[in-house]
Amino acid sequence: MGKTKWLPLIWVSLLTIVLLASLMVLERGRDYIGKQYFISDQFRMELDEFIEKAGPTVLNPLNPKEAKEQITVSQQEIEEHRNQYGSLADQIENIQMQYEDRIASAEGNEPFKSALIEERDAKIEDIRKNFSDDKHVEAKIRKEKEALIDTYMNELKNIREQVSGEYGYFAYSLENVNTGETFKRGELSNAIYKKEYDNNHGLLRVEAVSYSTNAGNEVAGIIGNQVQQFSGTIAIPKAAIDSMDYSHQYYEFKKTKYTIYAFILLGILALATILFKLKFNRNWFTGNKFSDWYNSIRIDWKAVLIFVNAMVAYAILINTMGVFLYNHYSMDWMNRILHFLFSIAFVGILIFQAVNIIGQYKNTEVLKNDLRNSFTFKLTIGIQDLFLNRSIGVQTLFLYAIAFAAGFGLLVVFMMPPAIIIYLPLFLFIALPAILILLNRAGYLNRIMKTAEQMAEGKLHQEIEIRGKSPLAQHAANLNKLREGVQSSISEQAKSERLKTELITNVSHDLRTPLTSIITYTDLLKNPDLTGEEREKYIEILDRKSQRLKTLIEDLFDVSKMASGNIELQKQRVDLTQLLQQALGEHEEEIMKSGLEFRNNIPDVPVVAYVDGQKWWRVLDNLIVNAIKYTLEGTRVYVTLRQNGSEAEFVVKNITKYELGENVDELFERFKRADTSRHTDGSGLGLAIAQSIVDLHGGRMKIDVDGDLFKVTVTIPVV
């Protein structure tokens, strides 16, 4: 019994050896089995690299002086260099713009300013010379090409050190077939590797310019890449094999090859043992508590676990193969043993899973029952709620299926087995929960649609619950905003009705008041007993009330035309500074009588805008009159005009004599006055008219109220 319990471990260990040997043959056999190091791809690459580096540094070096003498400059290159930054005018304008701000900022520092001007003029003169003198341009191009050759020669220093150091194990005896010049290094008599170059075996071709350098391609384009042919021998002396420079690569190849041979032999022996001596017994992996637990879990989880374990086992076997093939140091034996033990463990788990699945589902009834109890089947039943809205359900599942298939397909295409260790846990713990979240959101979507239907019926009392930050939650939030918007619209409609009522009341009041006075004093004038003094007094009142009535009617017509857009602007260039000064001068007498102190901040220079002068005068006049009427006695009024960038800004600030309340926007309403008792002579249309004129000009008008501080800001684009 004691020996029997070790049989499963021995059998799995033998199978692991067979699998490792098979992987080595499949993955690395082509490179090592039956191959010698000096005919391997690895060595061919080293030899090619040596020839590529030795050519331009030793065998066929570039003479920088001669190379510079070979430089030619074509007329096309001259034209391209000349026009690379545009035409003559464009380049001069660009230089002037570059120095304009710097020279302006250097005012007061004459030496620095003079240096900048001198530097600018020198560049402009150089540009002019580029366009007038081909030789001047040619010299520049030649200098650039010579600099490239110098850069290339500096880069060759590192390559030259590699040839003598890193590739010092190569010996050679080569003769230039064109010049007869001979190059020798090292001993060729006792060589472990030799390669002959002659007319029969092919001559060695060596280029003068190395493309492995940064400047190599450009230098080859300047002077061409001269090729020389050599005959002779390149060899590796036997003594170099034992040198520190080369022995590692040579012996690594041999050790890797012999390791593969050893595993092939072990694999054959292990396979023979499994087939003929230690035959497989399924009872090793069944009838214990682990198999009972495994058989009890759902079938879809079994499929996932066996797939995950198969991928992990494959990745670990590949890694173990690499450890045995490429780490040949004695200190790595513990690492190899650990990798081999991990491989045995995961191969054993995979065999355990396969044996139990096959044994359990030989009975088709058990298979059908497990399929009915699977997580996938129950998930399918749960999808019924998703299809309360069939279109959204199908689209959602389809999109998620495409996304998952794309991700899995990408994994297959790139075939990176070690990445499966990361991918599969991500699938289990991210993608799978995402499916559950999707189902939950589908139900949430149906709830949203039900509430939206109630909203459509006019039932706005219920708000949609917002869950998380998903697109559906955002959709719910938008529907809530829509609900709030409808409620706000209803509120605005009620407000509009209130304002309409107030408008009718205010219009009736403001028109009736002067009209009543006119009727009353007209009746009084009919009295023949009136004295001349009384008659003149009544006529004066009639005239004032008539003018008041005329002003109200004209303002009402103006607002109506502006609101309907039925008005034409006669725009022209207007100096806003002069216009404001005239408007203030027009009301100078009223300002003096009001007892208010006007503080005017008006620029000395013109501020020009493209406006209808008459209409813009109306804006300034209305705002100044508004300030005179509604400013608290004995306080200051601040009037400011300034230019901010591309806009002119006109500001009026004052302390109001009446409480304004919180709703500033209503001050723009027609017949809306700060004097709610309507004791002043204002029509209530001043700000509304000003706002309409500003809007017609593409400007902005803003009112700010902070307690009793009233501020109007008007902005308009300037020319």
Side-chain angles (χ1 to χ4, degrees), residues 383-396 442 445-446 449:
I383 291 176
Q384 291 179 356
D385 290 340
L386 176 64
F387 287 93
L388 292 175
N389 186 301
R390 184 177 298 276
S391 175
I392 293 177
V394 171
Q395 291 177 20
T396 304
L445 175 62
N446 286 325
M449 294 176 64

Side-chain angles (χ1 to χ4, degrees), residues 37-87:
Y37 176 70
F38 294 112
I39 61 173
S40 67
D41 294 337
Q42 180 180 344
F43 177 73
R44 287 198 192 97
M45 188 182 300
E46 291 174 21
L47 179 60
D48 291 342
E49 288 178 358
F50 166 70
I51 294 171
E52 181 185 358
K53 295 178 185 296
T57 57
V58 179
L59 303 175
N60 188 16
L62 182 69
N63 186 320
K65 184 178 180 181
E66 293 178 359
K68 291 177 181 178
E69 292 174 354
Q70 297 175 23
I71 293 175
T72 59
V73 179
S74 67
Q75 186 62 35
Q76 182 180 354
E77 289 178 307
I78 292 174
E79 292 299 327
E80 289 176 353
H81 187 279
R82 176 177 287 155
N83 295 285
Q84 61 180 328
Y85 299 115
S87 65

Side-chain angles (χ1 to χ4, degrees), residues 427-540:
F427 168 75
L428 291 174
F429 297 106
I430 296 178
L432 195 58
I435 295 175
L436 297 177
I437 293 172
L438 174 62
L439 296 178
N440 183 48
R441 288 182 179 176
Y444 180 38
L445 175 62
N446 286 325
R447 183 179 295 276
I448 292 173
M449 294 176 64
K450 185 66 177 177
T451 308
E453 185 179 343
Q454 293 175 350
M455 288 184 183
E457 295 172 356
K459 301 175 183 178
L460 303 174
H461 60 280
Q462 183 176 354
E463 185 177 275
I464 302 174
E465 178 187 359
I466 298 176
R467 301 179 185 174
K469 298 181 180 179
S470 67
L472 287 179
Q474 183 60 46
H475 180 58
N478 291 337
L479 285 175
N480 285 334
K481 289 180 182 178
L482 180 62
R483 182 183 66 86
E484 293 171 1
V486 173
Q487 290 178 330
S488 176
S489 176
I490 294 172
S491 175
E492 287 294 325
Q493 187 176 358
K495 175 185 173 182
S496 177
E497 291 297 329
R498 175 176 61 81
L499 290 175
K500 188 185 296 183
T501 302
E502 289 183 6
L503 173 63
I504 294 172
T505 302
N506 293 336
V507 169
S508 300
H509 179 275
D510 286 351
L511 292 177
R512 187 172 60 248
T513 300
L515 185 61
T516 301
S517 297
I518 289 171
I519 294 171
T520 301
Y521 284 101
T522 299
D523 289 339
L524 289 174
L525 284 174
K526 294 176 181 179
N527 187 353
D529 299 329
L530 287 176
T531 65
E533 182 181 350
E534 289 176 329
R535 189 176 300 278
E536 288 181 5
K537 179 181 178 183
Y538 292 162
I539 290 173
E540 180 184 352

